[in-house]
Amino acid sequence: MEPNPNQPHTLPPDYFDKVYEANQDPWDFATSPYEQEKYAATLAALPREHYTRAFEIGCSLGILTARLAPRCGYLLAVDVAKAALQQARQRCADLPQVELRQLRVPTEFPAGQFDLILVSEVGYYWSPPDLARAADQIVAALPASGQLVLVHWTPPVHDYPLTGDAVHEFFLGKATPNGPLRHLHGQRHEKYRLDVLERR
């Protein structure tokens, strides 16, 4: 897993602060047909109808959060960007099962276990050492049969330490016969991939 030589380090919170200062929806999460299709594919890929405790890493504006919430008893959604979380709080104001928190994974990680952890469009912002650390935390936070959903854009991005494929392949490396995870299913689309794994 070779880091991007142009950006070998995890992107800091102020990178995202500047992005959201320049544009309230910098990746067109609310309006892009690509994003709408990807959200629908993500929800359709979930093996269960309901999760007791779910954790979404990198919730951004809370668009997927709001769609996922009806299937969760409790959903902790976190992001490093305060401006994004302000929009997410407005969007999820009528969803009492959602807790939104400013948190920087893997430097910070919530206590407790989650039967669903969602890592959508965030893993490639981590350096290889931070990805490895986050992966260990995620695996430890999944109980037996707890599920991990990965969804990432696959074309390389100049600013990002890793590609989406590198993130998915790293986690799939933990889905060997003796590894802590098993691979339930995966999809590859034109510009993103989606994999669902489960804790042994």
Side-chain angles (χ1 to χ4, degrees):
M1 183 173 50
E2 290 297 318
N4 178 355
N6 299 309
Q7 178 50 270
H9 305 294
T10 294
L11 295 181
D14 66 357
Y15 172 93
F16 299 97
D17 291 337
K18 288 172 184 170
V19 167
Y20 285 107
E21 280 173 19
N23 184 340
Q24 282 197 321
D25 186 1
W27 290 281
D28 298 324
F29 289 142
T31 57
S32 158
Y34 160 81
E35 294 293 345
Q36 305 315 307
E37 187 275 331
K38 190 184 65 179
Y39 296 146
T42 301
L43 295 172
L46 296 177
R48 297 183 205 154
E49 278 304 308
H50 188 266
Y51 293 87
T52 304
R53 283 175 54 85
F55 178 33
E56 181 187 4
I57 302 174
C59 66
S60 185
L61 309 180
I63 297 167
L64 183 56
T65 314
R67 297 187 186 186
L68 177 62
R71 295 175 65 173
C72 302
Y74 167 74
L75 172 56
L76 173 62
V78 306
D79 204 278
V80 298
K82 184 182 283 188
L85 285 168
Q86 287 173 344
Q87 292 188 60
R89 287 193 175 95
Q90 292 173 355
R91 185 167 275 109
C92 299
D94 296 327
L95 298 167
Q97 71 271 48
V98 174
E99 179 185 354
L100 289 149
R101 200 186 297 174
Q102 189 171 7
L103 202 73
R104 186 181 183 185
V105 176
T107 306
E108 304 165 291
F109 201 90
Q113 293 205 303
F114 302 90
D115 54 342
L116 173 66
I117 297 179
L118 177 63
V119 182
S120 177
E121 308 291 10
V122 68
Y124 41 54
Y125 297 136
W126 290 323
S127 66
D130 278 349
L131 173 63
R133 186 176 168 198
D136 287 344
Q137 293 169 331
I138 288 166
V139 169
L142 289 168
S145 298
Q147 292 167 352
L148 168 64
V149 177
L150 306 168
V151 191
H152 289 87
W153 171 267
T154 48
V157 180
H158 178 78
D159 283 355
Y160 298 173
L162 293 169
T163 63
D165 279 321
V167 173
H168 285 237
E169 294 305 321
F170 183 81
F171 277 99
L172 288 170
K174 296 181 178 294
T176 58
N178 297 316
L181 301 173
R182 65 171 67 88
H183 187 218
L184 298 185
H185 59 87
Q187 307 170 22
R188 179 175 284 278
H189 298 258
E190 183 183 356
K191 291 186 176 177
Y192 75 93
R193 65 184 292 183
L194 190 159
D195 284 288
V196 181
L197 300 101
E198 186 173 80
R199 186 75 157 96
R200 292 185 190 276

